[in-house]
Amino acid sequence: MRAAATLLSIALATVPALAASKGTLGFALGTKLADGSCKYTSDYEADFDAIKSNTGSTIVRGYAASDCNCAQQILPAAKSKGFKVILGVWPDTGDSFNADKLALSTYATQYTDQVYAVTVGSETLYRGNFTGAELLEKIQDVQAILPNTLMGTADSWNKYADGTADALIKGGVKLLMANAFSYWQGKEVGAGAEYTYFDDVQQAMGHIQQVAGSLDSIEFWNGETGWPTTGGTDYGAATAGTDLASTFYTQGVCGMLDWGVNVFYFEAFDEPWKPASVGDNGAAEDETHWGAMNADRSLKQGFSLQCS
C-alpha cells in the first residue's frame, strides 16, 4: 500500500490540479440483466437505487440509445430517481447509427432534463473505423437532433495523446472522454497501475489542452477505467481480484476525483451474460466481472466504494 501511495503522489505532482473541487463520479451501465434479457424502466430504477445508496453517484453512461430500447426505458427511470444519463450513439454501422439517432429524436427530446450529454462513438478511433474528421461529421449530424445538448465522444487515451482526435478538438467538440485501463497495459496494482492510470489521463488531457489552448470550453472526463474482480486471463502483471479492484478504486479512482477529474467507472454491475471474447494479445478475455457491484446489485465483499 505504501508503494501505491508513493506512486500516486508522484503522478499527482507531475501536473497541476484540474480544479479546486473534486471530480464527479459516474458509472457505465449496461442494458441487460444477468440472464441477457433487456432491462425495463423498473430495472433501471433498481439500478439507480443501488448506485446512489452505495456510492452517492447520480450519473450513468450508456453506449447505444437504441440497444434494448435503452433511451425509452432508462430516461423515465432517471426522471423518477433524480439521475442524469449520458446516452450513446454507435456510429460504426449505418443501421446502428440510424437506430440510435431515431431513439434520440423520439425519446431524448422528451427528457432533456435527464440527458446530461450524448457520446457519438466508443473507441471508434482506436479501432480505426473513422478518422477524426469523419467522426466529427457524425457528431455534428447527431448534434442537429439535440442542438442544445452537450455532445462529444469517448475514446482511448492514446488517440488523444497521439493527435488522432485533433480534428475533434479543432472542430469545437465540447465533450471529450478518455478511457484509461492500466489493467490492459499489464500493470500491477500497488506497483505501477495507479501511476500509469494517472499518466495516461494526463497525456490525453495535456494534448487536448495544448491543441485547444485551454480546457475552459471543453468538458473532460475519464470515460472508462476499472479493474476485474475475478475471472479472465491475467494480462502481464495485471491480475483480477476483488482486493486488487478495491485498492485500484481507492488509490486510482478516488485519487483521480481528488485531482478534479470526472470519472466513469467501468462498470456498475457484473454482466455474466457477456460471451467470451479474445483480447488484443490473442488470449481469452472475460468481461463478466468488471462490476463495482454484483449482478444482483449487492455489494462485493471487501470492495469499498467510498472515497474519503
Side-chain angles (χ1 to χ4, degrees):
M1 188 67 71
R2 181 179 296 175
T6 300
L7 286 167
L8 186 56
S9 297
I10 294 172
L12 286 169
T14 60
V15 289
L18 183 66
S21 60
K22 285 191 175 184
T24 297
L25 174 65
F27 287 86
L29 185 61
T31 60
K32 297 180 176 66
L33 297 169
D35 62 3
S37 60
C38 292
K39 291 179 181 178
Y40 288 90
T41 297
S42 60
D43 299 309
Y44 285 116
E45 289 175 337
D47 286 350
F48 292 156
D49 284 341
I51 292 170
K52 185 174 182 178
S53 63
N54 291 318
T55 72
S57 175
T58 56
I59 185 169
V60 297
R61 63 165 299 206
Y63 296 87
S66 64
D67 181 45
C68 276
N69 297 315
C70 177
Q72 178 184 8
Q73 300 298 328
I74 197 172
L75 291 176
K79 183 175 182 178
S80 68
K81 295 296 181 177
F83 266 65
K84 298 287 188 180
V85 180
I86 295 183
L87 293 170
V89 172
W90 197 264
D92 299 54
T93 71
D95 288 346
S96 63
F97 186 56
N98 291 329
D100 288 339
K101 288 199 300 178
L102 179 60
L104 292 182
S105 62
T106 304
Y107 302 107
T109 52
Q110 300 179 39
Y111 292 91
T112 53
D113 289 342
Q114 285 68 51
V115 178
Y116 184 83
V118 174
T119 54
V120 182
S122 177
E123 298 190 346
T124 192
L125 297 179
Y126 175 78
R127 292 190 299 276
N129 293 341
F130 297 103
T131 64
E134 290 169 341
L135 181 56
L136 177 61
E137 290 182 2
K138 296 289 186 181
I139 294 171
Q140 292 170 336
D141 187 350
V142 178
Q143 185 79 74
I145 300 171
L146 296 165
N148 298 317
T149 299
L150 183 65
M151 195 82 52
T153 194
D155 221 293
S156 178
W157 67 271
N158 57 330
K159 295 297 101 181
Y160 295 102
D162 70 7
T164 302
D166 280 4
L168 306 181
I169 305 168
K170 296 174 182 178
V173 173
K174 300 301 183 183
L175 174 66
L176 297 174
M177 302 169 67
N179 301 346
F181 288 91
S182 51
Y183 181 87
W184 294 124
Q185 295 189 63
K187 303 300 181 180
E188 182 181 359
V189 168
E194 297 87 351
Y195 177 83
T196 296
Y197 170 49
F198 268 82
D199 185 61
D200 291 348
V201 172
Q202 185 273 331
Q203 287 190 58
M205 190 166 57
H207 185 82
I208 292 169
Q209 184 172 11
Q210 181 183 37
V211 174
S214 76
L215 294 174
D216 293 344
S217 63
I218 296 172
E219 184 163 327
F220 178 86
W221 286 70
N222 169 207
E224 286 181 352
T225 194
W227 203 273
T229 54
T230 187
T233 302
D234 294 347
Y235 200 91
T239 57
T242 302
D243 58 335
L244 298 172
S246 182
T247 299
F248 179 79
Y249 188 95
T250 301
Q251 295 289 332
V253 174
C254 295
M256 189 68 72
L257 294 170
D258 286 341
W259 191 30
V261 177
N262 304 319
V263 177
F264 274 109
Y265 190 81
F266 182 87
E267 54 188 335
F269 309 105
D270 284 346
E271 296 191 274
W273 65 267
K274 284 186 173 181
S277 59
V278 177
D280 291 343
N281 64 347
E285 186 175 287
D286 184 344
E287 294 188 349
T288 61
H289 292 92
W290 282 77
M293 290 169 274
N294 293 308
D296 64 0
R297 306 184 183 91
S298 63
L299 290 171
K300 295 185 176 183
Q301 186 174 3
F303 195 153
S304 172
L305 295 176
Q306 300 299 317
C307 294
S308 58

